[in-house]
Structures are given as C-alpha cells and as structure tokens.
Amino acid sequence: MHMHNPYESRPAADNKDAEVTVYRAETDYLKAAPEYKHLSQEKNGAVQVAVNIRRELKKAFPGVKFSVTTRSCDCVNIKWTDGVTEERVKAITDKYRDSYFDSMQDLAVSCRSRFNEIYGGVGYVFTKREYSGRLKEKANVIFMQKYGHAFTGEEKTPEMLKRGELWKEGHYFHRNGFAVQTEINKILYQTE
C-alpha cells in the first residue's frame, strides 16, 4: 500500500507564496517610488491616466503647454505646439497603455503592468505635436542649409510649406530620393 506524502505538492505552494511575496514587494515599491510620488493612485480610469500624464509632462517639460484630454473611458489625447519632440513625450506616456489591438487576431490584447494597476492604464494614448510658423521657418532654414545646393536660384518658403506646395515638389535628392516636404517633416519631427 502506497502512503501519500503530504509534502509532495508543497513546492508548488511554496512557489505561489514566493510569487505573491515578490508581487507585493514590487507593488509596494512602485506605490512609494519617489519618482512617482506626485501621481494619483485613485482608481478612476482614463481620468486618472489623464491627470497623471498631465502631471508627468508638466514636471518633465515645464515650459511646454500640453492639452491632455480623455476621449472615452479607454482613450487619452495629448496635444502641444512646438516644444519637446513626440518621441520624448511618448517615452513618458507609453507606460500608460495597458492594451493594444492585434489586427491579426482582431482583438484587444492586454499588456497591463503593475504600474497600470497603481497609476492607471488605457488602451489608447494618442500624441499630436503641432508646429508653429516659427518652428516651420526654423526647419526651412535647416533644410536649405543641408540641401540648398540642389536648389540653385530656388527658395522654399514657410508659406509654400503652409499651402502644401512642397508636397507637389518635383525635386529629388541623392540616389535614394526623397520629396522636399518629407524631408522638412523629418526635420520638424526632430527639432525642439
């Protein structure tokens, strides 16, 4: 007769206890982390996310005015003019996404983190940086310094950019080729 060892299933229980202990320690650390002390831990969905994003952006980029709004219970929109690049803003805001849409499976996939459990998460965080005339002029100057040699006697003005005339521009550079407007947009995207 085989006697059942009461300790045979114990390692699995020990592993579960260890996971719970680690989870609690990581959660406690995030709740008390000095870099997040200014953020809300209230559980109120997209509103909490918008409040926290606004606080983080204000702290990280004090001279830039951001508009942070909720569009639905699962979406936050962020807009600003000039200032910091979209890439730097996304470095802060991406951690607030708690899901993404997988078009191959036609469903939303959770990527929720401990950060989201404490400071909030939404499925969609949209960023939109707008450009003032002053920044467009600066991009035009950079463009002409870089590629002006290819436009002997031609000047690309911010007014042409505003009117969308440079999309139609037939000039291409280098062997790979690129449109004037495309290159100016790259400059705008990277310029602060």
Side-chain angles (χ1 to χ4, degrees):
M1 178 170 171
H2 175 68
M3 301 247 341
H4 175 68
N5 182 346
Y7 300 104
E8 280 181 345
S9 62
R10 193 71 183 140
D14 285 345
N15 286 343
K16 189 73 169 165
D17 290 344
E19 287 176 19
V20 169
T21 301
V22 168
Y23 174 84
R24 284 185 182 147
E26 289 176 357
T27 301
D28 290 345
Y29 170 78
L30 274 174
K31 285 182 176 182
E35 64 267 29
Y36 301 132
K37 69 180 179 189
H38 60 291
L39 301 180
S40 168
Q41 294 183 20
E42 295 178 22
K43 305 282 188 244
N44 55 355
V47 172
Q48 176 190 14
V49 171
V51 165
N52 284 342
I53 287 175
R54 193 176 296 114
R55 288 176 181 175
E56 281 207 73
L57 292 175
K58 185 175 183 176
K59 183 179 179 189
F61 313 111
V64 181
K65 183 175 170 40
F66 292 93
S67 168
V68 182
T69 58
T70 58
R71 190 164 73 189
S72 70
C73 64
D74 200 31
C75 180
V76 173
N77 289 327
I78 305 152
K79 288 196 281 188
W80 70 102
T81 301
D82 296 347
V84 64
T85 64
E86 194 166 357
E87 187 177 356
R88 289 181 61 198
V89 169
K90 285 183 176 188
I92 291 172
T93 62
D94 280 354
K95 67 182 170 274
Y96 288 97
R97 288 195 55 214
D98 66 1
S99 63
Y100 64 93
F101 186 75
D102 183 341
S103 59
M104 295 297 285
Q105 297 182 57
D106 195 28
L107 58 90
V109 177
S110 175
C111 57
R112 197 157 176 77
S113 67
R114 288 189 180 91
F115 180 89
N116 298 136
E117 291 172 18
I118 300 164
Y119 298 108
V122 292
Y124 304 95
V125 178
F126 295 112
T127 57
K128 183 177 181 193
R129 181 181 182 211
E130 297 176 348
Y131 307 110
S132 69
R134 187 180 57 75
L135 191 63
K136 288 177 182 178
E137 288 173 20
K138 183 177 179 181
N140 188 55
V141 168
I142 293 169
F143 175 83
M144 291 306 287
Q145 287 171 346
K146 209 170 176 182
Y147 303 108
H149 63 280
F151 293 101
T152 53
E154 299 179 50
E155 184 179 347
K156 304 302 167 204
T157 66
E159 289 74 31
M160 293 171 77
L161 179 66
K162 284 180 202 171
R163 291 190 302 261
E165 293 174 12
L166 300 182
W167 281 112
K168 303 175 211 162
E169 188 62 48
H171 292 286
Y172 289 86
F173 310 105
H174 310 298
R175 292 201 174 132
N176 295 342
F178 57 84
V180 171
Q181 183 67 54
T182 302
E183 185 62 20
I184 290 175
N185 284 345
K186 286 180 191 174
I187 293 168
L188 281 169
Y189 185 80
Q190 298 167 350
T191 302
E192 290 191 7

